[in-house]
């Protein structure tokens, strides 16, 4: 049956890479109708809303979104660029991605970090004899996407009743003389329901794709309540999964280990901010932003996107220099999600071939500094990389 996919190119290079992913989807005969939806900076400036209601309605209706990237800017710049007729009318900028995650409760974020053989950007290290080793990295980060330190419950100069609540905690003693105006508080809220959902999703993925371990990456020795809850749930849940081991690591130690022996890790689960950090860490080992794909999955709606942003400094370059692979891999995650795994595998195999052959590479894979001169140095355009992937399907 023909699928309906809501496409949100957004800003900058989002507009460049999303059409490339669609070319590849067409080339594997994925039968879909693509419905364009507006999102991003332009709609903030014009209408005071970067996530138009129409876009929300389209996602509500069709359930699957493919998203490029958006530009967001600090508060002052946002205010300055707002259409003069809207100024002073109480419009405040908020990130449409965060808005989308909150509105549809896209609480499960999956970020696979899997190295392609022959990618010059892969992590390498020396063995004891001084020879180079290139371990295969195959980690999938499950980041809780809606709560934790990014839940947005925070104050500067907290109201009296909030302060009074904090005063009841024995550890507040050291803050008791701090004037209210000198206090900033951000909370780390984790609910049992959301923690259970992300940990369940991780175990199910481990089972489906035959990973032998699931790691809870938190810091329960210090964050006894929130990290402690995550670990406790995981310890109960692992009993339902014979053949899968539960590991737990602390976020700080994990960041060290992933730069020493990243091949040891499979599925990793973490709270919002820790997941953000670990997934960037692992992405660096497999080629960085040009390769980092992601899925945001809720109970009804799912949105697939590369983790990179709109890269404004490259948006005007024509032909484009940026790597389309992160976007194409995000489209593969969409195919997996809707059960088209064969097509997804076919595309991933074609990408693997192109990377390994190394004949057609965007500037990042050639370790060049980005700019319009990269073609003289042998880099391929965005479109040439897509064409080569299609040729190898
Ligand atoms: P960015 O991800 O847009 O770019 C950082 C740098 O990474 C680029 O200058 C480029 O050198 C490289 N890069 C990014 N994508 C690449 C690709 N596909 N191929 C090759 N190289 C690539 O992050 P930056 O510069 O911090 O932010 C730019 C804008 O994007 C900001 O307005 C920011 O708020 C927004 N942003 C949006 C995100 C999203 O839409 N999910 C995520 C991150 C940033
Ligand atoms: Mg990030």
């Amino acid at each position: 049956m023909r699928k309906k996919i809501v496409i949100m190119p957004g800003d900058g290079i989002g507009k460049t890479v999303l059409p490339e992913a669609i070319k590849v989807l067409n080339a594997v005969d994925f039968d879909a109708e693509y419905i364009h939806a507006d999102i991003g900076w332009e709609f903030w400036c014009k209408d005071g809303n970067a996530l138009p209601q129409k876009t929300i309605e389209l996602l509500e209706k069709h359930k699957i979104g493919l998203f490029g990237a958006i530009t967001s800017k600090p508060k002052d710049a946002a205010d300055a660029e707002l259409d003069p007729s809207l100024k002073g009318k109480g419009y405040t900028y908020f990130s449409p991605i965060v808005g989308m995650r909150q509105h549809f409760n896209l609480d499960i974020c999956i970020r696979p970090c899997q190295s392609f053989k022959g990618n010059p950007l892969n992590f390498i290290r020396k063995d004891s004899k001084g020879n180079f080793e290139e371990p295969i990295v195959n980690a999938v980060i499950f980041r809780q996407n809606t709560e934790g330190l990014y839940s947005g419950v925070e104050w500067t100069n907290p109201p009296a009743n909030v302060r009074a609540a904090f005063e009841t905690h024995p550890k507040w003693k050291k803050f008791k003389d701090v004037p209210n105006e000198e206090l900033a508080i951000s909370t780390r809220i984790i609910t049992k329901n959301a923690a259970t959902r992300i940990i369940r999703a991780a175990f199910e993925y481990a089972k489906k794709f035959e990973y032998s371990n699931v790691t809870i990456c938190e810091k329960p020795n210090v964050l006894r309540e929130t990290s402690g809850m995550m670990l406790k749930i995981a310890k109960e849940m692992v009993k339902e999964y014979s053949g899968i081991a539960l590991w737990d690591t602390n976020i700080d130690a994990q960041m060290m280990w992933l730069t020493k022996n990243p091949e040891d890790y499979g599925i990793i689960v973490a709270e919002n901010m820790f997941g953000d950090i670990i997934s960037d860490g692992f992405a660096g080992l497999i080629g960085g932003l040009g390769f980092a794909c992601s899925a945001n999955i809720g109970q009804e709606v799912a949105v697939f996107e590369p983790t990179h942003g709109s890269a404004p400094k490259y948006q005007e370059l024509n032909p484009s220099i940026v790597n389309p692979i992160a976007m194409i891999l995000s489209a593969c995650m969409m195919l997996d999600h809707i059960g088209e795994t064969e097509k997804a595998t076919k595309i991933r195999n074609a990408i693997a071939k192109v990377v390994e052959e190394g004949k057609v590479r965007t500037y990042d894979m050639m370790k060049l500094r980005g700019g319009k001169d990269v073609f003289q140095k042998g880099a391929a355009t965005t479109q040439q990389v897509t064409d080569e992937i299609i040729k190898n399907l």
Side-chain angles (χ1 to χ4, degrees), residues 111 143 276 280 307:
R111 295 186 164 182
R143 166 188 173 190
D276 201 5
D280 272 15
T307 61

Side-chain angles (χ1 to χ4, degrees), residues 351-371:
I351 294 173
K353 251 204 235 158
V354 173
V355 174
E356 189 167 10
E357 280 179 7
K359 288 184 304 199
V360 183
R361 286 174 166 165
T362 43
Y363 82 96
D364 54 327
M365 277 189 271
M366 300 189 68
K367 305 197 180 198
L368 296 171
R369 180 184 289 273

Side-chain angles (χ1 to χ4, degrees), residues 9-11 13-14 17 41 67-74 93 95-97 101 111 287-292 294 305-314 321-327 362-365 368-370 382:
D11 300 308
I13 66 163
V17 292
W41 195 248
F67 170 55
I70 51 96
T71 295
S72 62
K73 299 184 188 180
Y93 180 81
S95 157
I97 314 170
R101 287 176 189 155
R111 295 186 164 182
L289 291 173
F291 289 86
S294 78
E305 54 158 335
T307 61
H308 64 72
S310 61
K313 64 181 178 190
Y314 301 144
I321 66 166
V322 298
N323 192 341
I325 291 177
M327 181 78 234
T362 43
Y363 82 96
D364 54 327
M365 277 189 271
L368 296 171
R369 180 184 289 273
T382 307

